[in-house]
Amino acid sequence: MDIVTRYGPWAVIAGASAGMGAAWADEVAAQGINLVTIARRGELLEADADRLRRTHAIEVRPVATDLAGEDIADVVRRAVDDIDVGLFVYNAAVAPAGSFFTVPIEEHLMNVRVNCVAPTVLTHVLGPPMIARGRGGIALVGSIGALQGGEVFASYFAAKAYEWILAEGIWAELRGTGVDVVAYMLGATSGDNYEHPRETRSIDVEQLEPAVREAMEGVLNPLTSREVAAGLFERLADGPTVYSSAYNERVARSIFGMSRREAVERMSAVTTLSWS
Ligand SMILES: NC(=O)c1ccc[n+]([C@@H]2O[C@H](COP(=O)([O-])OP(=O)(O)OC[C@H]3O[C@@H](n4cnc5c(N)ncnc54)[C@H](OP(=O)(O)O)[C@@H]3O)[C@@H](O)[C@H]2O)c1
């Protein structure tokens, strides 16, 4: 079955206005699948929509809305009311950075709404029609930060852990239905929201202990959003969990072999060196 038949004719991408989200939109549009793009910055969505319509001769519906809004299920239901959605990519995320107790509680709660509540609600809205027709794909964009706790991003890593495990559970439920579900786990990826540590400080990796050095290599050498998005259609059927690179998969496997203490301390060394 070709990609449009399997995952088209429409896709919904939540968090599509910048960086990784815009790269997913390019990748999906290049296959000839029409798009509903969601983010708050409508002007960015509109500009991308014009470009994608011209370049790929597809239809694009930009939906400027806040995924943290209480009415998000209805907003998305209305946007897809008359179309057949065969692919859902939940890319949006917020990542409050800093000590857990100095970050305002509103930011932690926004993290829960955008990273946990919205992917749950939208998967619940968009999944059933896919199940009914026996075709489709759902990708929740995850992070290897979800594999352990860590300083600086305590609530973000916790929220991404929820999203990861949610994807795995839905994958298990939908095996055999024709609907592919995957947690697409990213490591450091350059994009609008990624502050490249190499530009902000110089880290002498040679001074680091080997486990921290291995993890720091990914932070200092992020993949580009385009490189990560290019793997989407090859990986959709490889759930429950896939990684954006062989390096990230190696890092994940090494985390699974560590004690929880080692894993949390290693991640904390990386986040405090890079982001605090
Ligand atoms: N970049 C990395 O190094 C990295 C590493 C591991 C995992 N990831 C994961 O990869 C995904 C993309 O991350 P990114 O850092 O590259 O971000 P991004 O794709 O550059 O931007 C995040 C997107 O989410 C949208 N968004 C955020 N809050 C929203 C809200 N309340 N309502 C509607 N849209 C909202 C933003 O649009 P507006 O601002 O226009 O609303 C933007 O389009 C995330 O799931 C992240 O957890 C990224």
Side-chain angles (χ1 to χ4, degrees):
M1 199 184 294
D2 67 77
I3 285 178
V4 179
T5 310
R6 176 119 193 70
Y7 300 114
W10 283 84
V12 172
I13 302 184
S17 64
M20 199 57 243
W24 298 120
D26 278 343
E27 185 66 19
V28 172
Q31 297 294 335
I33 296 176
N34 304 304
L35 281 170
V36 177
T37 53
I38 303 174
R40 287 163 302 183
R41 287 172 291 174
E43 68 290 355
L44 295 183
L45 295 180
E46 293 290 349
D48 256 0
D50 282 346
R51 183 178 56 78
L52 294 171
R53 287 183 195 111
R54 275 199 312 275
T55 313
H56 300 292
I58 57 162
E59 289 181 61
V60 185
R61 287 184 185 181
V63 179
T65 192
D66 187 346
L67 286 159
E70 296 214 341
D71 59 345
I72 192 62
D74 289 338
V75 170
V76 172
R77 262 193 215 104
R78 278 197 298 276
V80 303
D81 198 24
D82 57 337
I83 55 177
D84 186 6
V85 175
L87 178 63
F88 173 46
V89 179
Y90 194 88
N91 172 76
V94 290
S99 144
F100 178 77
F101 294 102
T102 55
V103 169
I105 189 64
E106 292 74 23
E107 289 186 34
H108 290 309
L109 296 179
M110 177 63 108
N111 158 67
V112 172
R113 282 194 285 274
V114 174
N115 300 340
C116 303
V117 176
T120 307
V121 167
L122 297 192
T123 302
H124 205 263
V125 167
L126 297 168
M130 296 186 205
I131 299 166
R133 71 175 189 162
R135 281 179 282 127
I138 297 170
L140 302 188
V141 179
S143 168
I144 57 173
L147 307 183
Q148 72 281 284
E151 280 177 74
V152 182
F153 293 113
S155 66
Y156 168 69
F157 289 165
K160 297 305 283 187
Y162 170 87
E163 201 180 5
W164 170 39
I165 299 303
L166 176 70
E168 290 203 330
I170 298 170
W171 173 87
E173 275 191 29
L174 296 192
R175 272 172 302 170
T177 64
V179 180
D180 298 324
V181 182
V182 73
Y184 201 116
M185 308 291 267
L186 276 54
T189 307
S190 60
D192 300 17
N193 293 343
Y194 183 76
E195 188 189 353
H196 199 311
R198 206 163 28 193
E199 287 161 14
T200 55
R201 62 177 65 221
S202 79
I203 295 166
D204 185 357
V205 287
E206 297 307 320
Q207 300 300 315
L208 302 174
E209 58 175 272
V212 177
R213 192 186 315 154
E214 187 203 27
M216 187 58 91
E217 273 165 21
V219 175
L220 293 173
N221 300 290
L223 295 179
T224 65
S225 303
R226 189 174 293 274
E227 284 168 333
V228 171
L232 177 65
F233 288 101
E234 282 124 59
R235 316 301 304 279
L236 270 172
D238 293 342
T241 294
V242 300
Y243 298 90
S244 58
S245 70
Y247 164 80
N248 286 326
E249 180 155 6
R250 210 168 55 245
V251 168
R253 288 191 189 290
S254 79
I255 292 165
F256 296 140
M258 289 175 183
S259 72
R260 296 308 298 163
R261 186 175 184 150
E262 275 177 301
V264 173
E265 288 188 343
R266 181 173 82 155
M267 178 53 94
S268 297
V270 171
T271 52
T272 51
L273 270 169
S274 308
W275 281 281
S276 61

